[in-house]
């Protein structure tokens, strides 16, 4: 199997979507609005990981393009949990892709403690033999969720998927702590927004102008 050739359209899809999603951030910045996107990364799954997953999930190599949804993977990191909903809507409203599946591991976190929102989209890539629609997995998560997932992922790698019980328990507690951090940050954000609203009205009142008549 010529992996380089097989994975070329996947690389194209990852590169294009990274640019497109990073474009949102730029638009929010240029209009002085809070960006729901902090940063975007992406990767094509390395061949050894593809072979591993195919073996684990009994996927014939001839069916990789339909059965392995994360050959192309994009990750969107957000500051706040509420930003995730905004990003989901931005993606659902795009006309250059089709959402085929969504998995909410935020309201339904995984047993490991993993939280993230996954969207699988079908994305058209223009190739020299015409259009090809590629499956891409988009993972949307807060910085706290990403911190946890990155560490857990490297521990899994280190222990080859067999993390000792004591460390697993600690990871569970760390996942809970990441959840609480997200909650605290959301509350702080709400309070700041409330204070800003109040401050704007106060200024307007001082000027003796009806804020709704402006
Ligand atoms: P490892 O061992 O796989 O962790 P850029 O220059 O920013 O355009 P760059 O530097 O080529 O792009 O890569 P990027 O987009 O910053 O992503 C780098 C790392 O993020 C990769 O690590 C991936 O592991 C991880 N990553 C990003 N997006 C995804 C995703 O959607 N799914 C998964 N599973 N991983 C992702 P490395 O360097 O490949 O090392
Ligand atoms: P990578 O490139 O090493 O990250 P499954 O393999 O059965 O869990 P499924 O059903 O195909 O996956 O899709 P799922 O669970 O929606 O998404 C799988 C991807 O989500 C994983 O990719 C991880 O990137 C991430 N993920 C899911 N569960 C966990 C978890 O417990 N911890 C961490 N750190 N990440 C998780 P892969 O295949 O592991 O590849």
């Amino acid at each position: 199997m010529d992996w380089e050739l097989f994975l070329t359209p996947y690389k194209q899809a990852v590169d294009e979507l990274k640019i497109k999603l990073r474009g949102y951030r730029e638009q929010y910045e240029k209009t002085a609005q809070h960006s729901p996107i902090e940063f975007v990364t992406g990767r094509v799954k390395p061949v050894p990981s593809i072979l591993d997953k195919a073996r684990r999930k009994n996927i014939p190599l001839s069916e990789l393009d339909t059965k392995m949804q994360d050959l192309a993977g994009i990750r969107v990191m957000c500051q706040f949990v509420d930003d995730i909903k905004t990003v989901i809507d931005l993606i659902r409203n795009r006309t250059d892709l089709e959402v085929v599946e969504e998995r909410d591991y935020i309201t339904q976190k995984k047993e490991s403690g993993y939280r993230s929102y996954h969207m699988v989209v079908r994305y058209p890539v223009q190739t020299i033999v015409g259009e090809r629609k590629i499956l891409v997995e988009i993972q949307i998560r807060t910085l706290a969720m990403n911190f946890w997932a990155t560490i857990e992922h490297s521990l899994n790698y280190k222990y080859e998927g067999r993390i000792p019980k004591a460390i697993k328990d600690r990871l569970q507690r760390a996942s809970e702590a990441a959840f609480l951090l997200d909650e605290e940050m959301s509350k702080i954000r709400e309070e700041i927004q409330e204070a800003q609203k109040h401050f704007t009205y106060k200024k307007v009142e001082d000027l003796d102008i009806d804020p709704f008549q402006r």
Side-chain angles (χ1 to χ4, degrees):
M1 180 147 171
D2 186 342
W3 286 104
E4 188 119 4
L5 183 66
F6 173 71
L7 292 173
T8 301
Y10 292 88
K11 182 168 186 311
Q12 180 80 21
V14 167
D15 288 346
E16 288 183 14
L17 281 169
K18 273 203 290 195
I19 289 179
K20 289 181 174 185
L21 297 182
R22 283 172 182 165
Y24 284 130
R25 186 183 158 83
E26 186 138 348
Q27 291 177 55
Y28 282 104
E29 274 171 357
K30 291 273 156 45
T31 52
Q33 297 178 73
H34 162 74
S35 170
I37 295 178
E38 186 65 11
F39 64 94
V40 179
T41 64
R43 62 96 183 92
V44 172
K45 207 177 188 64
V47 176
S49 309
I50 297 175
L51 293 173
D52 239 33
K53 191 164 181 170
R55 206 173 309 123
R56 247 188 309 122
K57 302 200 126 195
N58 252 324
I59 301 173
L61 294 187
S62 56
E63 292 174 33
L64 280 179
D65 56 341
T66 52
K67 301 251 168 80
M68 200 173 290
Q69 298 176 323
D70 67 340
L71 291 172
I74 294 283
R75 220 169 249 172
V76 180
M77 265 56 68
C78 311
Q79 288 186 343
F80 301 102
V81 179
D82 278 352
D83 294 334
I84 295 176
K85 182 75 183 64
T86 309
V87 175
I88 294 169
D89 286 337
L90 285 173
I91 292 171
R92 284 188 188 146
N93 286 330
R94 292 192 71 97
T95 53
D96 60 346
L97 53 77
E98 182 197 344
V99 177
V100 293
E101 219 176 300
E102 300 190 22
R103 288 192 282 270
D104 180 357
Y105 299 128
I106 295 176
T107 48
Q108 263 318 320
K109 76 169 174 190
K110 283 200 163 188
E111 233 177 75
S112 59
Y114 178 76
R115 289 185 305 137
S116 242
Y117 196 92
H118 292 192
M119 298 177 93
V120 178
V121 304
R122 193 175 284 123
Y123 179 77
V125 170
Q126 309 304 317
T127 75
I128 50 176
V129 289
E131 184 174 277
R132 255 199 72 191
K133 290 191 172 163
I134 303 283
L135 289 180
V136 181
E137 185 187 72
I138 306 178
Q139 303 179 340
I140 310 158
R141 44 170 80 154
T142 61
L143 296 170
M145 294 174 195
N146 188 51
F147 183 31
W148 185 92
T150 307
I151 304 238
E152 197 261 1
H153 191 272
S154 47
L155 285 175
N156 250 317
Y157 190 78
K158 177 171 173 206
Y159 290 105
E160 290 171 337
R162 290 180 293 270
I163 300 180
K165 168 91 169 58
I167 296 179
K168 262 198 181 144
D169 290 347
R170 266 194 200 283
L171 280 168
Q172 285 285 347
R173 287 204 290 278
S175 165
E176 188 61 29
F179 173 79
L180 291 175
L181 178 59
D182 273 334
E183 270 200 331
E184 282 305 317
M185 287 302 181
S186 295
K187 281 186 200 138
I188 291 170
R189 184 194 190 197
E190 277 162 30
E191 272 172 32
I192 291 172
Q193 282 174 334
E194 210 38 57
Q196 276 171 343
K197 239 190 281 166
H198 196 75
F199 184 66
T200 317
Y201 281 136
K202 183 90 190 65
K203 268 205 306 208
V204 173
E205 274 165 23
D206 288 349
L207 289 170
D208 204 18
I209 301 168
D210 180 348
F212 299 103
Q213 289 296 309
R214 285 192 308 154

